Amino acid sequence: MEDKKTNILLIYTGGTIGMVKDYKSGTLRAFNFKKLVQHIPELHQLDCHIETISFEQPIDSSNMNPSHWVMIAMIIEEHYESYDGFVVLHGSDTMSYTASALGYMLENLSKPVIFTGSQLPIGDLRTDAKENLITSIQIAALRERGRPVIQEVGLYFEYKLLRANRTTKINAEHFEAFQSPNYPPLAVSGVHLKINKEALLPRKRIKRLVVHKKMDSNVGILKMFPGLAPGLLKNMVSTPELKALIIETYGSGNAPEEQWLTTILKEAIAKGIKVVNVTQCVGGGVLMGQYQTSQQLKKLQVISGNDITTEAAITKLMYLLGAGVSGKSFKTVFETSLRGEMS
Ligand code: ASP
C-alpha cells in the first residue's frame, strides 16, 4: 500500500528552543536535535514522517546574518522536492527578520515554511516549546485535495500562525512574543485548528521554486527622535557603501519640517540612495501628505513603506538591491506587495 504520510523537514538553527536545562547545575545546554523524535514522544503521534537537519553550530539568533539566511534557503532548495513542508526552529530575537528575508528569497513557494521557537527551552517543565513545535509540524503537514494548505512563510508562536513578513517581536518575557499588527492571523489553534482561508496568499499555479541568494546589506535604518542632530544623518548618508536608508518616522510618516532634514535627504536621493519611509508605530502605516509634516518627504519622492514592518522593509531592500533593481523602477517595485508584506 502506498505510504500517504506527509514528509516534514525540521531545520534546527539554534535559539532557546533547542536547549535543555541541566537540573543539577541549573545551566542551559544545546540539545541534540538529531535525537529530537526520541526525546519528544508526542511527535510519534503525528501522522507524518519527520526528519531533522541541524546547523553544524546552532546559534543564538542575535548572531544571524544574511549568510545564515542563505544557508536556510539552500537547505530548503536542496530538499524541496522530497518534503511536503518545512519547519524552521529559530531563536525568537531575530526570527521576524530571517522569516521575512526567506519569504523574498523563496520565489514561487508553494509549500509551507513555518518558523517557530520558544521563550523557554524544550527541556523546561513550563516550556512553550512543545506546543509551538507540535502545532507548527501539524500546520506544515496540512493538505487539501493533495496540495498544502499553507503555501507561504509563516511564523507560529503561542497558538497563532502569522504571516511571517507581517510580524514583529513585541515581548521578551511573555509567551506571546510576536504580533502581526496590520494583518490577521492565518490560523488560530484552540480546541480546533482554525485556518483563516481568506487571509492566506492565493493558491498559485505550481511554478519552479526560484531561490534568490544575493542579499545586499548596504542598507541602514535611522529612527527619528525629537532632538535628532543633522550631523548624525549627514554621517549616515555619506557612508560610501550605503545604497538605501529606512527612516522610521512618527505616526503616519511624519518628520520635522526643518530645512536641514529636507536638504540632506534631497542630496542623498540625488546621489542614488533609496530613502524609505516606515512608521515607528507598531500598527498602521505611512500616508505621506496627510499632515503638513510629511509633505516635504512626499515632494522628495521618498518611497512609502505603507504598513510594512521595519523587519520586512529592511530585508526587502536587501533583496531588491541584491536582485539589481535600480533606477526609477525601484520605488514602484518597493511600493508593490511582493509576498503579502503590505496592504
Ligand atoms: N536569544 C535567543 C535567540 O534569539 C532567544 C530565543 O531563542 O527566543 O536565539
Side-chain angles (χ1 to χ4, degrees):
M1 208 177 84
E2 199 193 337
D3 185 356
K4 289 265 172 57
K5 279 191 175 180
T6 44
N7 290 311
I8 302 296
L9 184 63
L10 270 184
I11 304 167
Y12 174 55
T13 70
T16 306
I17 190 166
M19 296 181 182
V20 272
K21 198 166 197 167
D22 183 327
Y23 282 98
K24 274 193 194 136
S25 63
T27 53
L28 294 174
R29 58 177 165 76
F31 183 83
N32 180 354
F33 249 79
K34 292 255 159 67
K35 297 197 178 137
L36 177 80
V37 186
Q38 296 161 25
H39 281 80
I40 309 174
E42 292 92 333
L43 293 180
H44 286 299
Q45 294 174 31
L46 295 173
D47 197 22
C48 46
H49 289 299
I50 303 165
E51 304 260 350
T52 33
I53 286 193
S54 171
F55 269 16
E56 219 161 278
Q57 289 221 311
I59 55 170
D60 185 294
S61 78
S62 302
N63 288 322
M64 282 271 166
N65 64 47
S67 73
H68 299 103
W69 304 344
V70 173
M71 277 161 66
I72 301 170
M74 284 171 68
I75 294 175
I76 295 173
E77 181 178 38
E78 197 186 324
H79 297 90
Y80 194 68
E81 294 310 324
S82 334
Y83 290 88
D84 302 297
F86 302 85
V87 174
V88 183
L89 300 167
H90 192 288
S92 62
D93 288 349
T94 65
M95 193 186 292
S96 293
Y97 291 91
T98 305
S100 296
L102 262 289
Y104 301 121
M105 294 165 88
L106 304 173
E107 191 179 344
N108 300 332
L109 184 68
S110 59
K111 295 186 178 184
V113 173
I114 311 297
F115 277 76
T116 195
S118 64
Q119 293 281 55
L120 281 176
I122 204 150
D124 198 284
L125 267 182
R126 294 177 51 249
T127 191
D128 51 332
K130 279 192 186 176
E131 200 284 320
N132 285 350
L133 175 60
I134 290 167
T135 310
S136 293
I137 296 172
Q138 282 184 323
I139 288 171
L142 284 178
R143 295 177 77 77
E144 198 180 67
R145 279 178 271 125
R147 289 190 60 191
V149 173
I150 311 291
Q151 306 192 357
E152 58 185 286
V153 182
L155 187 155
Y156 183 81
F157 227 88
E158 192 63 4
Y159 304 109
K160 280 186 196 136
L161 176 71
L162 307 170
R163 174 166 299 150
N165 57 28
R166 291 291 196 150
T167 64
T168 192
K169 184 172 178 182
I170 44 103
N171 205 302
E173 156 83 16
H174 293 166
F175 286 147
E176 191 166 355
F178 291 90
Q179 229 178 46
S180 165
N182 289 331
Y183 201 74
L186 305 182
V188 178
S189 165
V191 173
H192 302 288
L193 189 55
K194 283 212 173 114
I195 308 293
N196 181 5
K197 287 207 173 147
E198 289 92 79
L200 300 177
L201 282 182
R203 286 190 164 216
K204 294 150 247 162
R205 224 169 17 93
I206 296 182
K207 286 199 206 146
R208 196 175 58 83
L209 179 78
V210 180
V211 182
H212 299 272
K213 295 171 192 150
K214 223 170 141 199
M215 299 293 271
D216 188 335
S217 40
N218 290 310
V219 293
I221 303 175
L222 176 69
K223 183 170 181 158
M224 289 277 150
F225 60 92
L228 170 72
L232 184 68
L233 178 63
K234 228 183 176 143
N235 273 325
M236 264 185 114
V237 297
S238 45
T239 309
E241 302 82 15
L242 190 75
K243 293 185 187 152
L245 177 70
I246 292 175
I247 45 169
E248 269 198 2
T249 54
Y250 308 125
S252 55
N254 308 318
E257 292 170 84
E258 283 164 277
Q259 191 54 48
W260 62 261
L261 182 66
T262 312
T263 309
I264 298 173
L265 290 179
K266 195 173 178 183
E267 281 168 13
I269 293 168
K271 266 203 309 192
I273 296 176
K274 316 292 176 204
V275 178
V276 181
N277 187 350
V278 174
T279 177
Q280 53 184 255
C281 291
V282 178
V286 164
L287 196 63
M288 282 183 281
Q290 190 184 20
Y291 288 89
Q292 194 176 315
T293 44
S294 60
Q295 277 292 354
Q296 73 283 25
L297 303 177
K298 194 176 177 178
K299 277 201 201 118
L300 291 177
Q301 289 280 303
V302 165
I303 300 167
S304 172
N306 188 356
D307 63 352
I308 200 168
T309 61
T310 299
E311 293 88 332
I314 196 80
T315 49
K316 189 172 188 174
L317 285 176
M318 291 185 192
Y319 164 67
L320 294 180
L321 292 169
V325 179
S326 63
K328 287 232 168 71
S329 63
F330 196 94
K331 179 169 157 64
T332 315
V333 179
F334 192 96
E335 289 178 351
T336 307
S337 180
L338 302 177
R339 308 282 191 265
E341 72 278 10
M342 48 196 206
S343 306

